[in-house]
Amino acid sequence: DTAVSQTPKYLVTQMGNDKSIKCEQNLGHDTMYWYKQDSKKFLKIMFSYNNKELIINETVPNRFSPKSPDKAHLNLHINSLELGDSAVYFCASSQGVLPSEKLFFGSGTQLSVL
Amino acid sequence: DAKTTQPPSMDCAEGRAANLPCNHSTISGNEYVYWYRQIHSQGPQYIIHGLKNNETNEMASLIITEDRKSSTLILPHATLRDTAVYYCIVRAMTGNQFYFGTGTSLTVIP
């Protein structure tokens, strides 16, 4: 079983559309994250949820709205997609928020906005 | 949060040990050093982490200097499948931040 799974793996869409990326973890972890990797391969944290509560919001445009229906899921909804949103988005999870707890990453969703 | 500095790229001969350095001169006493790698466009993969003592697992060894200002990741017998970008990360005690830097692109040469 995949520990952290994201869907879809590839997403091609037009500017202005609204799209969602789903993430699920079966590790029983309390904390989940969204990261964005741009064309320069720089991985940047976007959001973090702990027990369904938002704990990190890294100056991401409000067109991006994370939603955590339960501890095992953290979905990312993007409104009014722009060309600059094209990137690979990674979901991750950790047992908790302690610095000794490692992150497990999904395989990524490659978003292409045309 | 403490920042890390890594060489942008390194080569290593297959079968030899790969030693990847990382500087983290502003690290605080309770911040952990983590190493992850990313193969092509896959998700980052956890390798190892440590606080003060040297650590070893089935993938690698982590050597942290006594002053904790630098560390070295050692892949004891590099294979072609170890070709990847390796990230050294310092994880802060507060704020739950986990920042990736630019990493070292390791190429294992046959």
Side-chain angles (χ1 to χ4, degrees):
Chain A
D1 285 341
T2 303
V4 181
S5 58
Q6 301 176 224
T7 54
K9 186 165 178 62
Y10 301 98
L11 185 54
V12 181
T13 188
Q14 300 285 334
M15 270 176 42
N17 285 349
D18 303 338
K19 290 294 178 185
S20 292
I21 307 172
K22 295 185 177 181
C23 179
E24 176 182 4
Q25 53 94 4
N26 62 6
L27 298 168
H29 287 170
D30 288 340
T31 310
M32 296 185 73
Y33 312 78
W34 277 109
Y35 278 80
K36 178 182 179 181
Q37 188 166 39
D38 58 26
S39 57
K40 295 182 180 178
K41 304 298 183 184
F42 187 66
L43 265 161
K44 184 176 171 61
I45 189 166
M46 300 173 69
F47 301 103
S48 175
Y49 270 72
N50 186 54
N51 282 317
K52 300 193 299 174
E53 288 191 24
L54 180 67
I55 56 173
I56 295 175
N57 183 341
E58 284 283 306
T59 60
V60 176
N62 56 16
R63 297 183 295 104
F64 291 79
S65 52
K67 285 188 173 47
S68 182
D70 54 58
K71 289 196 307 183
H73 297 84
L74 181 61
N75 304 323
L76 183 65
H77 189 76
I78 315 170
N79 290 326
S80 305
L81 277 156
E82 301 178 356
L83 294 177
D85 298 332
S86 295
V88 182
Y89 293 83
F90 289 100
C91 177
S93 74
S94 63
Q95 180 62 54
V97 299
L98 294 178
S100 57
E101 290 164 341
K102 58 194 178 194
L103 270 62
F104 293 80
F105 283 82
S107 57
T109 296
Q110 185 166 337
L111 172 65
S112 298
V113 182
L114 307 178
Chain B
D1 296 318
K3 302 298 183 188
T4 62
T5 304
Q6 299 176 252
S9 63
M10 291 181 64
D11 292 339
C12 177
E14 188 178 17
R16 303 295 295 269
N19 297 287
L20 290 88
C22 179
N23 286 323
H24 31 79
S25 58
T26 60
I27 193 169
S28 299
N30 53 13
E31 291 179 326
Y32 281 74
V33 179
Y34 279 78
W35 283 84
Y36 275 74
R37 72 181 182 183
Q38 190 173 23
I39 297 173
H40 193 46
S41 294
Q42 298 176 22
Q45 177 190 23
Y46 167 80
I47 301 174
I48 200 166
H49 74 286
L51 182 61
K52 296 178 182 177
N53 299 322
N54 297 337
E55 302 288 340
T56 295
N57 62 20
E58 64 278 4
M59 289 182 69
S61 294
L62 173 60
I63 308 298
I64 303 174
T65 58
E66 193 169 341
D67 62 8
R68 300 188 72 240
K69 293 184 177 182
S70 66
S71 60
T72 301
L73 177 74
I74 301 174
L75 307 177
H77 306 286
T79 70
L80 299 180
R81 287 177 295 180
D82 292 322
T83 293
V85 177
Y86 288 77
Y87 296 97
C88 169
I89 303 155
V90 171
R91 186 165 191 191
M93 188 68 178
T94 58
N96 196 31
Q97 303 293 12
F98 205 86
Y99 289 108
F100 284 78
T102 53
T104 296
S105 178
L106 175 69
T107 301
V108 180
I109 303 168

